[in-house]
Amino acid sequence: MPRLLVYSGVFLVSLALLPLAWLYRAQASSSARPRIHVVPDMDNQAYYRAQTASGFFADGRAMRAPVEGTVSRDGLDEDDAYYRGKDGDRWVEGLPGGLDEQQMLRGRERYQIYCAPCHGGTGAGDGPVARRAAKLAEGTWTPPADLTAAAAVGRPDGELFDIVTHGVRNMPAYAAQIPVADRWAIVAYLRALQRSAHGRLEDVPESQRGELK
Ligand code: HEC
């Protein structure tokens, strides 16, 4: 066999091994560059980012408004009494979801977290925030209302629920922090506070009055 043929044969076989060596190296090492994508499937697609412009739609916005009347999943808050404290254009009286001891305890806990800092543990409007603000006397503070006073006692349950939901005058809204069921539980506990603030001897069962007399 001619030498030239042998040498060029060896050379070509070595050359053929190079791509394999290169592949092996690519598999074993890491690189900052993205892999070569031979079959792109649908991995990379053109898309719009939120709040950007688009020439495609007539109004020039990339984002589409929901179709009018769309209700999100679990978003059909149809029960006006429960979700808004309203019966037609009147406030509801009573708790639309009913009440048990568990909810009352929940209401006390939630009240103490969300309301007592301003309105105080008994609802008298003397919570630590209110007392501190009064002490600072900066002149910008509206004192929290006394929730056991006639004004609050006279409000229907639905209106109290609405006040927690949307706030009132200088008081902020709590809808974002307190879910609907907890807002009703707070209203129930508020009623208990009002009841205890205006308790009379007749409210105590006869059998338990012994020491009071
Ligand atoms: C950051 C302090 C603050 C917190 C917390 C707060 N309130 Fe108030 N609340 C006020 C102030 C201040 C007013 C009086 C607003 C005004 O008259 O401008 C008020 C008024 C009210 C009134 C109206 C009283 C009336 O008869 O006019 C109700 C009811 C009430 N709050 C309930 C609650 C409940 C329930 C919570 C807990 C979910 C709560 N508030 C949490 C500050 C607070």
Side-chain angles (χ1 to χ4, degrees):
M1 220 186 317
R3 280 271 159 102
L4 188 66
L5 211 63
V6 174
Y7 286 144
S8 43
V10 168
F11 178 72
L12 285 176
V13 166
S14 331
L15 210 62
L17 288 175
L18 272 182
L20 286 174
W22 181 77
L23 273 181
Y24 180 78
R25 190 179 145 270
Q27 292 265 311
S29 62
S30 57
S31 157
R33 275 180 299 159
R35 283 168 185 271
I36 296 168
H37 230 113
V38 184
V39 184
D41 292 328
M42 292 168 74
D43 291 348
N44 302 300
Q45 298 178 65
Y47 65 93
Y48 286 123
R49 292 188 184 276
Q51 311 287 359
T52 53
S54 158
F56 184 77
F57 298 107
D59 63 2
R61 294 186 295 183
M63 289 170 77
R64 303 289 78 211
V67 176
E68 206 174 318
T70 306
V71 177
S72 67
R73 253 168 208 262
D74 305 325
L76 186 62
D77 300 338
E78 210 178 16
D79 186 345
D80 259 348
Y82 185 66
Y83 289 101
R84 284 167 280 280
K86 284 259 180 154
D87 174 13
D89 45 7
R90 292 155 47 105
W91 298 114
V92 295
E93 290 283 4
L95 307 182
L99 179 68
D100 58 21
E101 190 184 347
Q102 214 53 42
Q103 273 167 285
M104 193 56 121
L105 293 173
R106 175 84 180 164
R108 178 171 70 181
E109 184 198 51
R110 298 290 109 179
Y111 175 89
Q112 283 167 356
I113 292 171
Y114 291 108
C115 318
C118 287
H119 290 286
T122 63
D126 57 353
V129 171
R131 274 184 280 142
R132 168 92 173 135
K135 204 166 137 198
L136 291 176
E138 288 174 330
T140 51
W141 174 252
T142 305
D146 176 355
L147 300 181
T148 62
V153 173
R155 295 189 193 282
D157 294 316
E159 189 180 10
L160 293 177
F161 174 85
D162 184 77
I163 286 175
V164 182
T165 306
H166 296 116
V168 63
R169 301 183 300 271
N170 288 286
M171 177 183 138
Y174 282 88
Q177 288 105 308
I178 312 177
V180 172
D182 285 349
R183 275 178 251 158
W184 283 116
I186 287 175
V187 170
Y189 183 67
L190 195 53
R191 287 299 187 214
L193 286 180
Q194 292 175 342
R195 186 87 199 276
S196 72
H198 299 285
R200 291 160 306 162
L201 186 60
E202 296 81 72
D203 293 332
V204 184
E206 195 88 46
S207 59
Q208 293 174 24
R209 283 190 205 166
E211 289 158 36
L212 292 168
K213 275 195 204 138

